[in-house]
Amino acid sequence: MLRSQPQKLLRRCFSSSAASLAGHTGSVESRAVVFSEHGDPTRVLRAHRYRLPKLDKGQVRLRFELGSINPADINVIQGVYPSKPAVRDDIGPEPVSIMGNEGVATVEGFEEDGTVEQKLEVGDRVVMGAPQLGTWQSHANMPFTSLIPLPASSPLSLRQAATLAINPPTAWRMLSDFVPLNPEDPNALTKQGGKKQWVIQNGANSAVGVAVIQLAKAWGVGTINLVRSRPSIDELKSHLESLGADHVLTYDEFLSRENNTRSKIKEWIGKDGEMRLALNCVGGKETAEMCKLLSLDGKLVTYGGMAKTALALPPSLFIFRKLTSTGFWLSNWVQTHPEERQTMMQSLAALVSSGKLKEPETEVVELKGTDEEVTQQLSEVMKKMEEGRGKKTLLHWKDE
Amino acid sequence: MLRSQPQKLLRRCFSSSAASLAGHTGSVESRAVVFSEHGDPTRVLRAHRYRLPKLDKGQVRLRFELGSINPADINVIQGVYPSKPAVRDDIGPEPVSIMGNEGVATVEGFEEDGTVEQKLEVGDRVVMGAPQLGTWQSHANMPFTSLIPLPASSPLSLRQAATLAINPPTAWRMLSDFVPLNPEDPNALTKQGGKKQWVIQNGANSAVGVAVIQLAKAWGVGTINLVRSRPSIDELKSHLESLGADHVLTYDEFLSRENNTRSKIKEWIGKDGEMRLALNCVGGKETAEMCKLLSLDGKLVTYGGMAKTALALPPSLFIFRKLTSTGFWLSNWVQTHPEERQTMMQSLAALVSSGKLKEPETEVVELKGTDEEVTQQLSEVMKKMEEGRGKKTLLHWKDE
């Protein structure tokens, strides 16, 4: 099995000729999490082995360090997500799809095409620049054009890198593209002399939510954060506040008339502030309540629907308060903004390196043993995913 | 009582000096529909008389020909509409508000201010250029800046003029400002070579709805029109089709799975067409169904909420289909587009004159008799308004 080698030693060793790597590739076996039919995530996933073919021009040989599991992956497996992994008929007796949208990998080699050797070195770390490439596997050949190299100058931990490509960019775009809150934007409302800007969000402890809290803090934007109540609510509130949350409320506190929370929130914002943006990954009645707190011409941006119900929004908010309700999906955005994405990823990596953007809490699951054993492990991981919302799970294939 | 005089004779007769009019004004009595408290429209409206004061500079003396009743007026009387008529403490023993947002009036005179005499002549017809000015009265003094003169060159009937200022502009803006369908727009999607554009709307037989049908027809845009079923449904369908509706469906036909209406609609639009705009004045589940038929990046524009329920929109439409839901309220728009409004009104008047835009079906109610008798009449008119949706009612004060 081809192993990772020290970066300095390997640097460019394959860049002038891929022959030496090509010699190896015939023998590299990848272990992958696949499904052949959509269905119950605890039942349809299984471990699968396949041999990697020779690299084509411009392709990169990757060794995956961590493959991230996001809530949307459940929907991908169920077949109810609009973006699907490719159906591969070249890696086994029956067509299968390799799971995994997010992850971090190390470059083990590549086949020159006039570009890749300018941009990449062996030993570099990369994250995914295209959706559903299959990150829940140990090794893969992928086109360089689908990858985002991480800056070697500000090295991230593997956990930081594995959680960088989906949720923080989603937070960044939602704070930038609907109401201009990014101070680098020439029209930024956060510029000196403007009103202090506020954002309200539900599901504030989600991976996107904590990125919103920290980016907003870094950009001088206040946040009002709604979370579900739980036995350890005080701990959660302290945690979010330590990340920079200005205010954290449970949905019950938020909706309670006794607490007079609406007046309190208006006081927090004050006359020198305004709130034009609400971020929603839940749905349900508190979404409309969030919108009622927005100033005229407010924007509601939906990026998830954890409550699995339709958004219920009174017509009067649209007609008289000029509310706009829209949605955000990173996969749509990246298709039309490839270069802007590269720049944003470098900025996000720098924020992570500087400690201003902490990754969400993660837990690494080591996949090991026979295919049957790994298949059993996957079923347990999926069961846990469906039950609750613990730490974000990262898959790692243990070397055999 | 000052009466309307032939236009030629009166032309500019007050424009060089307002003294002669001022002599009359002391004796002009206006009869007005007022309320002193918000509440049940069948109970709180009453007839009231007051003497008009002398004209101030730039003010115009109007004799109202017709005052229109729109569904939103009910909400104004109930006190649940954001735009309210002024509370007047100068026209009676207690403060009252004069009702009426839309109507047509004849100019009986004005007091020069350097502008009004350039723009207006006695005998001209005007419609309202600002909200809630109080059109349900026989006479009024109003600032010229709140009025929109109608072109004398293309004379409209009184019924045409009385229904011109609110609903047709609402239709025009909704077909222009969210998806560019107006062929005069440099970015119009209806230009040669582009895909044939379609619009879907509910409440299609409303006053706005019939304006949408006719404007869309004039602009080369196809319409799919949803209406409530009723005993005379075939008659209604024929009527809307005669105005230019491409397809008319009842909500039952639209939602029926047996009819496979969704496939039919996709066939109507075809590969050479696209539908990016849905107009909503109802709410309820068929609103979401309309949105599901829109192409990627579709716009839902809400301008009413007749079903009195929240809009129920699945998060996936926003996230994956890039739906934007927003609202339109003419009162908001006119505040920021005073000049654009004047141009649009002239274009609309021309469309009406040319027969391309027919007014909705109307019924004139003659207000006559003592204040008590008129108050009784008003109660009956309001009862009828609340019961059903007959023809649009226009109020006319019968000369005493």
Side-chain angles (χ1 to χ4, degrees):
Chain A
M1 185 175 170
L2 190 64
R3 284 184 169 275
S4 123
Q5 294 173 40
Q7 189 171 332
K8 288 298 169 200
L9 194 71
L10 267 174
R11 192 162 276 257
R12 291 199 179 281
C13 77
F14 297 121
S15 68
S16 57
S17 162
S20 53
L21 180 64
H24 285 283
T25 53
S27 66
V28 170
E29 185 182 65
S30 181
R31 301 196 68 182
V33 178
V34 303
F35 62 86
S36 41
E37 275 179 21
H38 291 297
D40 177 353
T42 66
R43 304 173 66 99
V44 300
L45 292 184
R46 58 188 169 84
H48 175 72
R49 293 167 197 256
Y50 73 101
R51 297 226 158 253
L52 291 184
K54 265 182 66 175
L55 287 167
D56 285 335
K57 271 194 182 172
Q59 275 196 330
V60 181
R61 163 67 44 83
L62 298 177
R63 185 187 69 245
F64 275 94
E65 307 289 358
L66 292 171
S68 317
I69 306 186
N70 285 302
D73 293 322
I74 302 294
N75 305 121
V76 173
I77 299 164
Q78 292 166 330
V80 296
Y81 202 69
S83 159
K84 294 178 166 50
V87 177
R88 302 277 299 266
D89 53 14
D90 58 338
I91 61 173
E94 60 165 353
V96 293
S97 296
I98 303 175
M99 269 301 299
N101 191 35
E102 190 181 30
V104 58
T106 302
V107 172
E108 293 199 325
F110 45 79
E111 182 70 39
E112 295 182 9
D113 68 346
T115 302
V116 53
E117 64 271 24
Q118 309 291 327
K119 305 272 187 168
L120 218 54
E121 295 186 355
V122 168
D124 280 356
R125 292 264 158 78
V126 297
V127 295
M128 304 300 105
Q132 309 297 345
L133 292 179
T135 58
W136 299 3
Q137 60 183 328
S138 66
H139 296 77
N141 296 347
M142 289 186 184
F144 170 67
T145 49
S146 300
L147 304 172
I148 299 175
L150 294 175
S153 55
S154 53
L156 306 183
S157 75
L158 287 175
R159 287 180 192 230
Q160 288 171 333
T163 53
L164 187 70
I166 308 289
N167 297 317
T170 299
W172 180 294
R173 302 269 42 113
M174 292 199 300
L175 291 174
S176 306
D177 296 349
F178 303 93
V179 177
L181 300 177
N182 181 344
E184 286 170 21
D185 183 333
N187 300 317
L189 299 176
T190 48
K191 292 253 165 82
Q192 203 125 30
K195 284 191 170 185
K196 158 106 177 173
Q197 294 296 312
W198 288 80
V199 171
I200 187 165
Q201 66 168 341
N202 58 25
N205 56 324
S206 70
V208 171
V210 297
V212 164
I213 289 171
Q214 296 172 87
L215 278 179
K217 184 76 180 173
W219 293 353
V221 172
T223 56
I224 295 168
N225 301 280
L226 309 180
V227 295
R228 285 190 313 162
S229 192
R230 62 198 73 203
S232 59
I233 182 67
D234 291 338
E235 205 178 308
L236 176 61
K237 283 187 177 186
S238 303
H239 171 61
L240 297 183
E241 281 160 11
S242 76
L243 294 175
D246 291 280
H247 301 283
V248 186
L249 297 166
T250 65
Y251 298 124
D252 294 338
E253 288 167 344
F254 179 59
L255 296 176
S256 149
R257 286 180 183 275
E258 283 170 33
N259 287 358
N260 210 1
T261 312
R262 231 169 127 167
S263 304
K264 263 189 219 162
I265 291 177
K266 283 182 181 169
E267 269 176 44
W268 293 339
I269 297 171
K271 288 190 177 164
D272 301 330
E274 67 172 353
M275 189 155 73
R276 290 179 55 184
L277 183 63
L279 305 179
N280 165 44
C281 64
V282 180
K285 65 181 169 182
E286 85 284 351
T287 308
E289 292 305 314
M290 292 202 303
C291 295
K292 287 179 189 166
L293 289 164
L294 297 181
S295 64
L296 196 70
D297 221 355
K299 313 288 176 193
L300 169 67
V301 182
T302 293
Y303 66 97
M306 290 198 289
K308 293 186 181 164
T309 56
L311 293 183
L313 300 168
S316 59
L317 288 177
F318 293 113
I319 303 172
F320 304 124
R321 304 283 305 156
K322 293 179 83 171
L323 175 70
T324 301
S325 169
T326 179
F328 184 79
W329 188 32
L330 193 67
S331 300
N332 263 340
W333 183 85
V334 297
Q335 283 174 21
T336 45
H337 300 78
E339 287 175 21
E340 210 171 342
R341 183 191 205 186
Q342 297 275 356
T343 320
M344 173 180 66
M345 291 308 295
Q346 305 308 320
S347 303
L348 281 168
L351 278 171
V352 172
S353 298
S354 72
K356 286 188 184 160
L357 183 57
K358 291 183 179 65
E359 78 268 23
E361 292 184 283
T362 55
E363 179 179 26
V364 174
V365 171
E366 297 275 349
L367 300 177
K368 59 188 171 186
T370 64
D371 285 353
E372 287 68 29
E373 285 165 343
V374 173
T375 300
Q376 182 55 36
Q377 264 189 292
L378 292 169
S379 175
E380 282 156 21
V381 168
M382 288 295 130
K383 234 171 246 154
K384 220 173 139 189
M385 279 290 290
E386 285 185 352
E387 276 164 13
R389 299 166 210 184
K391 298 173 180 176
K392 181 162 173 161
T393 302
L394 306 171
L395 300 177
H396 176 252
W397 288 93
K398 203 160 163 60
D399 289 342
E400 293 188 305
Chain B
M1 187 176 170
L2 190 65
R3 286 187 168 275
S4 122
Q5 294 173 42
Q7 188 172 332
K8 289 297 170 201
L9 194 70
L10 267 173
R11 192 163 275 256
R12 290 201 182 278
C13 77
F14 297 120
S15 68
S16 57
S17 162
S20 53
L21 181 63
H24 286 283
T25 53
S27 65
V28 170
E29 186 182 64
S30 180
R31 301 196 68 181
V33 178
V34 304
F35 63 85
S36 42
E37 276 180 21
H38 290 296
D40 177 352
T42 66
R43 304 173 66 99
V44 300
L45 293 185
R46 58 188 169 82
H48 176 72
R49 293 166 197 257
Y50 72 103
R51 297 225 158 255
L52 291 183
K54 267 182 62 176
L55 287 166
D56 285 336
K57 272 195 181 171
Q59 276 195 330
V60 181
R61 164 67 45 83
L62 299 176
R63 186 188 68 245
F64 275 92
E65 308 289 358
L66 292 170
S68 319
I69 306 185
N70 285 302
D73 293 323
I74 302 292
N75 305 122
V76 172
I77 300 164
Q78 292 166 330
V80 297
Y81 203 69
S83 160
K84 294 177 167 51
V87 178
R88 301 276 300 265
D89 53 12
D90 59 336
I91 61 172
E94 59 166 356
V96 293
S97 296
I98 303 174
M99 271 302 299
N101 191 38
E102 190 181 32
V104 59
T106 302
V107 173
E108 292 200 325
F110 45 78
E111 181 70 38
E112 296 182 7
D113 67 347
T115 301
V116 54
E117 64 271 22
Q118 308 291 327
K119 306 270 187 168
L120 218 53
E121 294 186 357
V122 167
D124 280 357
R125 292 264 157 79
V126 297
V127 295
M128 304 300 104
Q132 310 297 342
L133 292 179
T135 57
W136 299 2
Q137 58 183 328
S138 67
H139 295 79
N141 296 345
M142 291 187 183
F144 169 66
T145 50
S146 301
L147 304 173
I148 299 174
L150 294 175
S153 55
S154 52
L156 306 183
S157 74
L158 287 174
R159 289 180 192 231
Q160 288 172 333
T163 53
L164 186 69
I166 309 287
N167 297 318
T170 299
W172 180 294
R173 301 272 38 115
M174 292 198 300
L175 291 175
S176 306
D177 295 351
F178 303 93
V179 176
L181 300 178
N182 181 342
E184 286 171 22
D185 184 332
N187 301 316
L189 299 176
T190 47
K191 292 254 166 78
Q192 203 125 30
K195 284 190 171 186
K196 157 104 176 172
Q197 294 295 312
W198 288 79
V199 171
I200 187 165
Q201 65 168 343
N202 58 25
N205 56 324
S206 71
V208 171
V210 296
V212 164
I213 289 170
Q214 296 173 87
L215 278 179
K217 184 78 181 171
W219 293 353
V221 172
T223 57
I224 295 167
N225 302 279
L226 309 180
V227 296
R228 286 189 312 162
S229 192
R230 62 199 72 202
S232 59
I233 182 66
D234 290 339
E235 205 178 308
L236 176 61
K237 284 187 176 185
S238 303
H239 172 60
L240 297 183
E241 282 161 9
S242 77
L243 293 175
D246 291 281
H247 301 283
V248 186
L249 297 166
T250 66
Y251 298 125
D252 294 337
E253 288 167 343
F254 179 59
L255 296 175
S256 148
R257 285 181 185 276
E258 282 170 35
N259 286 358
N260 210 3
T261 312
R262 232 171 125 164
S263 305
K264 262 189 221 164
I265 291 177
K266 283 183 181 168
E267 268 175 45
W268 293 339
I269 297 170
K271 287 190 176 165
D272 300 331
E274 68 171 352
M275 188 156 73
R276 290 179 54 184
L277 183 64
L279 305 179
N280 165 45
C281 65
V282 180
K285 64 182 169 182
E286 85 283 353
T287 309
E289 293 305 314
M290 290 201 305
C291 294
K292 287 179 190 166
L293 289 165
L294 297 181
S295 64
L296 196 70
D297 222 353
K299 314 288 176 194
L300 170 67
V301 183
T302 293
Y303 66 98
M306 290 198 289
K308 292 186 180 162
T309 57
L311 293 183
L313 300 168
S316 58
L317 287 178
F318 293 113
I319 304 173
F320 304 124
R321 303 284 303 157
K322 294 180 81 173
L323 175 71
T324 301
S325 168
T326 181
F328 183 78
W329 188 32
L330 192 68
S331 300
N332 264 338
W333 183 85
V334 296
Q335 283 174 22
T336 44
H337 300 77
E339 286 174 22
E340 210 171 342
R341 185 193 205 185
Q342 298 275 356
T343 319
M344 173 181 66
M345 292 306 297
Q346 305 309 320
S347 302
L348 282 168
L351 279 171
V352 172
S353 299
S354 71
K356 287 188 183 159
L357 182 58
K358 290 184 179 61
E359 77 269 23
E361 293 183 283
T362 56
E363 177 178 28
V364 174
V365 171
E366 297 275 350
L367 300 177
K368 60 187 170 189
T370 65
D371 286 353
E372 287 67 30
E373 285 166 343
V374 173
T375 299
Q376 183 55 37
Q377 265 190 291
L378 291 169
S379 176
E380 283 156 21
V381 168
M382 288 295 130
K383 233 170 249 154
K384 221 173 139 192
M385 278 289 291
E386 287 185 349
E387 277 164 12
R389 299 166 209 183
K391 298 173 181 177
K392 182 161 174 163
T393 302
L394 306 172
L395 300 177
H396 177 251
W397 289 92
K398 202 161 164 56
D399 290 341
E400 291 189 309

